Amino acid sequence: MTKIPYRFYLPENEIPTQWYNMRADMKEQPDPLINPATMKPATEEDLYPVFCKKLAHQEMDSTTRYIDIPEPIREMYKIYRPSPLIRAYNLEKALGTPAKIYYKFEGNNTSGSHKLNSAIAQAYYAKDQGLTSLTTETGAGQWGTALSEACSYFGIPLTVYMVKVSYEQKPFRKTVMQTFDANIIPSPSSTTSIGRKILSENPNTTGSLGCAISEAVETATSTEGCRYVLGSVLNQVLLHQSIIGLESKKAMEILGEYPDVVIGCAGGGSNLGGLIAPFMQDKLTGKANPRIVAIEPASCPSMTRGKYAYDFCNTGKITPMARMYTLGSSFIPSANHAGGLRYHGMSPILSKLYHDGYMEAKSVEQSRVFEAAVMFSKLETILPAPESAHAIRGAIDEALHCKETGEAKTILFGLTGTGYFDMTAYSAYMEKRMTDYVPTDEELQASFDKLPTIPTME
Amino acid sequence: MTKIPYRFYLPENEIPTQWYNMRADMKEQPDPLINPATMKPATEEDLYPVFCKKLAHQEMDSTTRYIDIPEPIREMYKIYRPSPLIRAYNLEKALGTPAKIYYKFEGNNTSGSHKLNSAIAQAYYAKDQGLTSLTTETGAGQWGTALSEACSYFGIPLTVYMVKVSYEQKPFRKTVMQTFDANIIPSPSSTTSIGRKILSENPNTTGSLGCAISEAVETATSTEGCRYVLGSVLNQVLLHQSIIGLESKKAMEILGEYPDVVIGCAGGGSNLGGLIAPFMQDKLTGKANPRIVAIEPASCPSMTRGKYAYDFCNTGKITPMARMYTLGSSFIPSANHAGGLRYHGMSPILSKLYHDGYMEAKSVEQSRVFEAAVMFSKLETILPAPESAHAIRGAIDEALHCKETGEAKTILFGLTGTGYFDMTAYSAYMEKRMTDYVPTDEELQASFDKLPTIPTME
């Protein structure tokens, strides 16, 4: 057998032409979204004021297994896809592990992350419906950058509500988005009623993701021809991100490989859900049984320490409620947490799969995450985003376990993006100014106590 | 014929195993280096105090046409190479040109640029000789980052003299280098006699590349087991960078293409010399006659407005003198020039080829460069380094000319790297704070007047 190359790229004609919808193979579906206005399960039409129609349909569609990727989306995918499947030979050697480590690298585009996969789809469908503008929010900036890029490509104006602390601390992220003609507004702002309310109560607030979401949704629903788009958590986003897993699986097939363990970092679930999709299909249909492991930050541990309960997706409490693993929408991770993945909840699809025992979850402290990131940088010539480095940590721990047991497992992990805009955090780590934060049980309980009281329909 | 893909990657087994040395095919050689101590042509041995032996040999070797790339270097190349050859379909469409535009993208590694190709070679040869440390200088930071990465990989300590203004304005570049364990010293510093001298004369100086080179060379020559490495200008660097052109040519062959025009940005010549190498071979041996075009900044126009004369490579005047196109080693480009490519001279090999009519040179103002960079970002999902954007500008101008004439030329340009650490300059451009600077004839003459008086041996 010829040696497996460091980097393997699918031939362009092998790039998937359809997304895969995990719900079509799930024996039990996630609980329905609840419309907070009626307290009844949301219908597709209920979503139309917020999302464009095709995306609202994808959000609710639990039966169509494969969905054709429209040609204009495939054309833009081709500019930066396929992303490479990389064999981490150097990492394996440095760890002295018998395990084989593969990773799918999604950072090879200006947005620097996998977020572009769904941004392109959402911008395209909006344009196709004749919408005249979009809104979104961004925290660390990866999603805002990706959507700016996609909107610029399809020619649809975009307003991004950027969490104020990021707006001030990451001016370069702002500049990249402006390069793509996006209108960037620090949140909370005076452009929305929720923003004005928050500012009047707390003029010095540095903002939060939940607040930025609320402002973006308010602007979308109150502006003619405007809709809101979101980069994670939603079913539609996982659908679009399935391109990651489909490419990975096809590439591994060609190389004669199949993973024993699939590892992804977990924030809202966009990368994780996309990466694992076809492997989860194998589990759901009994074709194979790989372990699937979510790695989340110990400072924002929605799966490992959250409740599986109905909750709001934003602090403004205007979007549908979803049943998911959540720390409560009032939970705000410590400001010293640098590693992204700060969302209080988890994709309802992934929450259900985790609840039903199809996947595992582990949490890691950020100093161990950065230790892995620096080690990986030196060995693999890629400087990872802190978010991505959670998966690296998970893969390294798995490979070290293999070293102990002597098992030659095949590990696949998702490397979602690059860390070029996260050097402040790297600097803090290297200058030993980084501390680990883990919420206390009391802190979590205080947030759980504010969860809405909705029957769980079990 | 099947449609040519957006991105084409050579199969790993097609990656070149040898570098190509242009001098072996040049009918006339560049004039020899002059040892400033003896004022005679420098010998290989003269270079040993500064460079490690293998690199000194490569510097002087004008006859070996192909040089085997040592296995450890090829192994590290495999982690990030081959770099993609990309068909700029979107750019072509946006320009409405009949031209076909290809670019070779070298930014897919942590260093963010092509500089890693030579950094790996130089770090390896130093380690192989048993050296215990290396020094270098960096301005914009790409070379320093690349060498830090290579030195970390091969386990050899590195000190980087970073031009003070960059050290202060680009703290993230510093952090990346520190991630790879490099020791970063702002230049001028008190660690060298030249640094102390400059500081005593001008305590508030923000430094210059020439000064940083001088400090790095002084430290290398005065420290046991230490040598100096340089990221551009030198013959050895062009040799290592030939991997860019060799991969490009091979990939185009497989696609059934050959460029009518090859365009590269030109600072010291490392990317340009590497990109054009095999195409220049075709010109030198009469096999083909592509146009070869260097694009340089109007603010630092060494080829288009410089003298072809002997000059010092550094302000400390301790390295050998080279005959090259130069603005004079006392020339310092305006601080408002953001686009890199600030070196006063040009690779002696490229200078000779230009002098002998084998290539063209054009200069462009930085606002037109950034205009091209922003346009390219939007169309091609890559945010280019300002340096690289000079080549983009050149390719766009060529393609627009084709639009006028109706010629369907095949254009190849080198996209040397990404601009993630150059957002300050992007911001200045977008906020219309960027101005163009072009040196006056009087300014250049003042610098020419300080050129050393050496017979040109013609």
Side-chain angles (χ1 to χ4, degrees), chain A residues 5-7 9 12 75 78-79 90 108-110 149 152 172 179 181 378 381-383 420 424 430, chain B residues 5-7 9 12 75 78-79 90 108-110 149 172 179-181 378 381-383 420 424 430:
Chain A
Y6 277 90
R7 293 190 166 218
Y9 294 91
E12 192 170 283
E75 278 298 302
K78 282 181 190 168
I79 307 174
N90 289 334
N108 273 354
N109 63 71
T110 299
E149 195 167 350
S152 165
F172 295 161
T179 305
D181 299 333
K378 291 182 185 176
T381 77
I382 296 172
L383 185 87
Y420 297 116
T424 305
M430 283 188 295
Chain B
Y6 277 89
R7 292 189 167 219
Y9 294 91
E12 193 169 282
E75 277 299 302
K78 282 182 190 167
I79 307 174
N90 289 332
N108 273 353
N109 63 71
T110 299
E149 195 168 349
F172 294 162
T179 306
F180 293 106
D181 300 333
K378 291 182 186 175
T381 76
I382 296 171
L383 185 86
Y420 297 115
T424 305
M430 283 188 296

Side-chain angles (χ1 to χ4, degrees), chain B residues 91 142 262-267 271-272 275 293-302 304 333 336-343 361-374 376 383-398 411-417 422 425-426 434 436-437:
Chain B
L91 182 59
Q142 288 188 335
V262 182
I263 299 171
C265 60
N271 157 70
L272 181 66
L275 174 70
V293 185
I295 311 287
E296 59 183 15
S299 58
C300 193
S302 58
T304 51
N336 94 340
H337 172 61
L341 311 175
R342 304 169 69 90
Y343 189 66
K362 295 181 181 177
S363 73
V364 287
E365 292 79 30
Q366 71 175 348
S367 58
R368 293 191 70 237
V369 168
F370 275 84
E371 180 194 36
V374 170
F376 185 85
L383 185 86
E387 294 83 348
S388 319
H390 286 72
I392 298 173
R393 180 75 258 175
I396 288 175
D397 288 347
E398 193 70 34
I411 299 167
L412 168 67
F413 74 89
L415 190 74
T416 56
D422 300 287
Y426 271 90
M434 181 172 275
D436 289 326
Y437 162 79

Side-chain angles (χ1 to χ4, degrees), chain A residues 97 291 396-407 409:
Chain A
T97 179
R291 281 176 55 217
I396 288 175
D397 288 347
E398 193 71 33
L400 289 175
H401 183 71
C402 287
K403 186 179 180 179
E404 279 176 27
T405 63
E407 291 169 287
K409 282 190 190 166

Side-chain angles (χ1 to χ4, degrees), chain A residues 440-456:
Chain A
T440 65
D441 289 341
E442 291 69 29
E443 283 175 283
L444 291 183
Q445 191 56 53
S447 179
F448 294 149
D449 289 344
K450 293 180 198 155
L451 281 170
T453 49
I454 308 279
T456 60

